[in-house]
Amino acid sequence: MVRLCLIGSRQPFSWCTPTDGLASRGGTLPALHQAGRPLPALVGSEPKASRSRRRTTRHPPHPRAAAPAKAGLLRHPPPSRCCVYPGPRPSQGLLRTHRVKPWPHPFPYEHLSSPAQARDDGREMTGARLRFAPSPTGLFHVGSARTALYNWLAARGGGGVFVLRIEDTDAERGREEWVGGILEALDWLGLDWDEGPYFQSQRSERYSEAAALLAGTGRAYWCECTREEIDRRAREAGRPPGYDRCCRDRGLSPGPGRVLRFATPLDGETVVDDRIRGSVKFANRDIEDFVIVRSTGAPLFLLSNVVDDMDQLISDVVRGEDHLSNTPKYQLLWEALGGPSLPRFAHLPMLVNEKRQKLSKRRDKVALESYREQGYLAEAMCNYLALLGWGPEDGEEVLSKAELVEKFSLEKVNHSPAFFDLRKLDHFNGIWLRRLAAEEFEERALPYLERQAWGNRFDRASFRRLAPLVQERVATLEEVPAMVDFLFLDRPALQDRDWAKLSGDPSTRTVLQAAAELYGTVSWDAPMLEAETRRLSERLGRPLRKTQAPIRVAVTGRAVGPPLFESLEVLGRERVLRRLGEALDMLGGPARAEEHAPPAG
RNA sequence: GGCCCCAUCGUCUAGUGGCCUAGGACACCACCCUCUCAAGGUGGAGGCACGGGUUCGAAUCCCGUUGGGGCUGCCA
């Protein structure tokens, strides 16, 4: 059992490693380094009718769908769940910087499960296998979240398997804490995965084998050109920037400073058949001889991505449109490695900023975590994210994840980029907040209240009494504390603007004095307070809204908040009277109660 | 520069040749409700980028233009 502890979660993440009867690693790996030998699939590509129990599916199954596990690596059933929470899900506690240890950890390579296994989990399987393959190079991105969600929806909607893979081939940029961020983000969103996480950093042997195969068959070659040389040659020859295939026929052997480049075909075209965009043609001559292995021997994304999709039997690649131009390279590599039939592709439209540029970590607010911290609900985030690039036919936009699974279809995904609009997110968050059961709302608001500087003055019981009124007035959980802070502060947090307006009005003193008198004796519950304040208002000859305003500011410090009389009730007579008195003191000046006092009786 | 993708209200979308005088949602405006603020209700303003075709008929199909974006890394 490998266990990752996420500081900030009450429960540790953990995933099982096989403990019994699994084929030993390595021994059953096909030998890939023999020149001329195509890379065999780890699983038979010929579906066996007897074992492939076809189900009705929304989409035509991939040729490899429902292919049963062949003897060998996949002979033994993997653990029923690869990633589980032992016990209740972590609280909605605020994220802190978290650290995952240890890392790298043993790679759960033998985990590859057959579709049959997932079927045992109680889901209808079609054998479609989708993966979400983020790289741990920064805070988890809302665009990644959308991609993960669409993969998850496609998997869950079609009875497929959802695989999580961490693409950490770039040791320089990858950081272990980002891995924890990915896991925690997916967990928060409720996007559970069936397999993985697989770590590319644990599979370098496999990529070396693939690289050796490509080099051995002449589909790749070693190159010693530096970036500077390449740029200079292009410049001097007046060619557009790009590699000139200089080393392609030099027959170099591996060596220091040398990278392995894939030799792309010089003619013909590669056609990408995309489920969202249709068929997209690329002339092979436009695809440069791209690097697949660094001079350090480490594989590049292009290679490891293909090898993993092959090994992990991915049938459907759903990713951002920024990968569309990579796809012909993917396909060429796939073919050169002797892979079975290609996966299906679906390239999702990008998420863009207000200037309609791809969302960037640098200039845009993209960290999912920051939205979580601000009190956005995972339900709202999923709901909103799903609508970025897709819309339900019936127009009903407020959808739970279960409803999304029901209605979502990759084929209906839009083609054009979408802007991440905070205001609409706010609207959805308000809806989901109001849908929460009272106790649930209270529970989720708790972390935001407890982190306030009220110290031990916070009192859950008082909050509970006002919570339902707060619930329907906030758009995010972050707004909750300001709604109820007057309950937990010695003196209300007087808002300058509100106080200025109040103190500038000569009638304020009259109202506050009258209220103080009234509240000294009135029966202390909201209905009575309201009724009596209304009568007071009539006696003063002013509308209730004009009367409640000074009282509200004096008692709560703010001009807006939960309904006043409930607030007074919870605060209690003593504190209300004290605050009215303090406000009157602050108002200063001569008491002019006589002038405005209502006729006695 | 080269290659590729995209184009319906400000934003997210419905629309796949006639049902479109283009529907919904967010935001906005007005009114109603109302102890503040929200929520809710009613109504309003607002769009098929442009130009050519094809067709009896085009938001929808084709071509072009323009505009936007992505890729073009020993990042993913």
Side-chain angles (χ1 to χ4, degrees), chain A residues 338-381:
Chain A
S341 53
L342 280 163
R344 296 188 299 182
F345 291 96
H347 286 95
L348 308 175
M350 305 298 294
L351 256 34
V352 297
N353 62 18
E354 56 287 329
K355 287 153 78 179
R356 305 212 72 81
Q357 297 163 310
K358 171 181 172 179
L359 243 34
S360 131
K361 280 171 185 157
R362 257 201 234 122
R363 60 176 174 240
D364 303 307
K365 185 190 161 191
V366 296
L368 189 71
E369 198 174 295
S370 69
Y371 290 100
R372 178 181 175 178
E373 279 179 5
Q374 275 176 56
Y376 289 95
L377 263 31
E379 293 89 332
M381 186 56 81

Side-chain angles (χ1 to χ4, degrees), chain A residues 22-44:
Chain A
L22 284 165
S24 63
R25 186 183 336 175
T28 52
L29 271 177
L32 299 176
H33 52 277
Q34 298 166 21
R37 178 171 173 182
L39 184 72
L42 291 186
V43 162

Side-chain angles (χ1 to χ4, degrees), chain A residues 41 45 62-65 309-310 314-315 330 334 338-344:
Chain A
S45 54
H62 184 269
R64 219 164 48 250
D309 282 351
M310 215 176 267
I314 300 306
S315 66
Y330 181 112
W334 183 282
S341 53
L342 280 163
R344 296 188 299 182

Side-chain angles (χ1 to χ4, degrees), chain A residues 54-73:
Chain A
R54 296 269 166 132
R55 305 285 171 140
T56 309
T57 63
R58 185 177 305 197
H59 312 302
H62 184 269
R64 219 164 48 250
K70 197 165 142 185
L73 265 190

Side-chain angles (χ1 to χ4, degrees), chain A residues 371 376-377 379-392 395-399 418-434 475-476:
Chain A
Y371 290 100
Y376 289 95
L377 263 31
E379 293 89 332
M381 186 56 81
C382 284
N383 192 164
Y384 178 61
L385 247 18
L387 262 21
L388 250 29
W390 170 83
E396 178 50 60
E397 293 192 335
V398 181
L399 300 165
F419 170 62
F420 188 86
D421 187 356
L422 230 1
R423 290 182 300 188
K424 190 155 180 175
L425 209 212
D426 279 340
H427 177 254
F428 277 94
N429 207 53
I431 289 174
W432 283 99
L433 229 27
R434 275 173 257 123
T476 66

Side-chain angles (χ1 to χ4, degrees), chain A residues 169-431:
Chain A
T169 56
D170 188 343
E172 306 224 331
R173 298 202 311 159
R175 302 232 309 254
E176 55 186 83
E177 70 215 61
W178 303 136
V179 174
I182 292 168
L183 302 181
E184 194 160 338
L186 291 177
D187 178 69
W188 178 62
L189 292 169
L191 306 181
D192 54 338
W193 57 94
D194 304 299
E195 282 179 33
Y198 299 124
F199 289 85
Q200 292 192 327
S201 55
Q202 299 298 307
R203 285 171 47 77
S204 48
E205 273 178 46
R206 191 73 185 141
Y207 311 128
S208 302
E209 288 167 352
L213 173 75
L214 292 170
T217 54
R219 299 302 301 269
Y221 59 92
W222 295 97
C223 164
E224 61 179 3
C225 301
T226 63
R227 188 75 240 170
E228 293 70 39
E229 289 165 356
I230 293 167
D231 291 342
R232 181 174 49 76
R233 285 202 299 267
R235 207 168 42 243
E236 287 173 358
R239 279 183 286 103
Y243 183 62
D244 56 4
R245 301 190 167 99
C246 169
C247 298
R248 185 161 180 160
D249 299 314
R250 291 175 65 194
L252 295 173
S253 46
R258 291 179 182 174
V259 298
L260 188 65
R261 285 182 184 273
F262 182 75
T264 56
L266 299 173
D267 51 23
E269 63 179 16
T270 297
V271 181
V272 175
D273 191 15
D274 191 276
R275 287 167 78 184
I276 294 172
R277 278 150 226 283
S279 107
V280 184
K281 297 184 173 71
F282 296 85
N284 289 335
R285 98 181 82 82
D286 292 329
I287 305 169
E288 74 172 32
D289 286 358
F290 53 94
V291 177
I292 54 177
V293 177
R294 296 176 170 87
S295 54
T296 60
L300 252 0
F301 152 78
L302 257 356
L303 178 65
S304 54
N305 188 251
V306 171
V307 170
D308 279 0
D309 282 351
M310 215 176 267
D311 281 2
Q312 289 157 15
L313 308 171
I314 300 306
S315 66
D316 292 87
V317 172
V318 178
R319 68 220 298 202
E321 199 209 305
D322 46 347
H323 285 295
L324 185 55
S325 339
N326 286 328
T327 307
K329 299 177 186 171
Y330 181 112
Q331 295 190 173
L332 254 13
L333 228 26
W334 183 282
E335 176 268 329
L337 288 169
S341 53
L342 280 163
R344 296 188 299 182
F345 291 96
H347 286 95
L348 308 175
M350 305 298 294
L351 256 34
V352 297
N353 62 18
E354 56 287 329
K355 287 153 78 179
R356 305 212 72 81
Q357 297 163 310
K358 171 181 172 179
L359 243 34
S360 131
K361 280 171 185 157
R362 257 201 234 122
R363 60 176 174 240
D364 303 307
K365 185 190 161 191
V366 296
L368 189 71
E369 198 174 295
S370 69
Y371 290 100
R372 178 181 175 178
E373 279 179 5
Q374 275 176 56
Y376 289 95
L377 263 31
E379 293 89 332
M381 186 56 81
C382 284
N383 192 164
Y384 178 61
L385 247 18
L387 262 21
L388 250 29
W390 170 83
E393 288 170 71
D394 61 12
E396 178 50 60
E397 293 192 335
V398 181
L399 300 165
S400 67
K401 284 220 293 298
E403 291 166 325
L404 287 170
V405 165
E406 185 66 29
K407 296 186 175 186
F408 180 79
S409 156
L410 273 178
E411 270 74 14
K412 303 281 285 183
V413 169
N414 254 292
H415 299 181
S416 39
F419 170 62
F420 188 86
D421 187 356
L422 230 1
R423 290 182 300 188
K424 190 155 180 175
L425 209 212
D426 279 340
H427 177 254
F428 277 94
N429 207 53
I431 289 174

Side-chain angles (χ1 to χ4, degrees), chain A residues 481-494:
Chain A
M483 286 278 193
V484 295
D485 62 353
F486 68 93
L487 290 174
F488 311 116
L489 292 166
D490 275 343
R491 321 188 83 185
L494 264 188

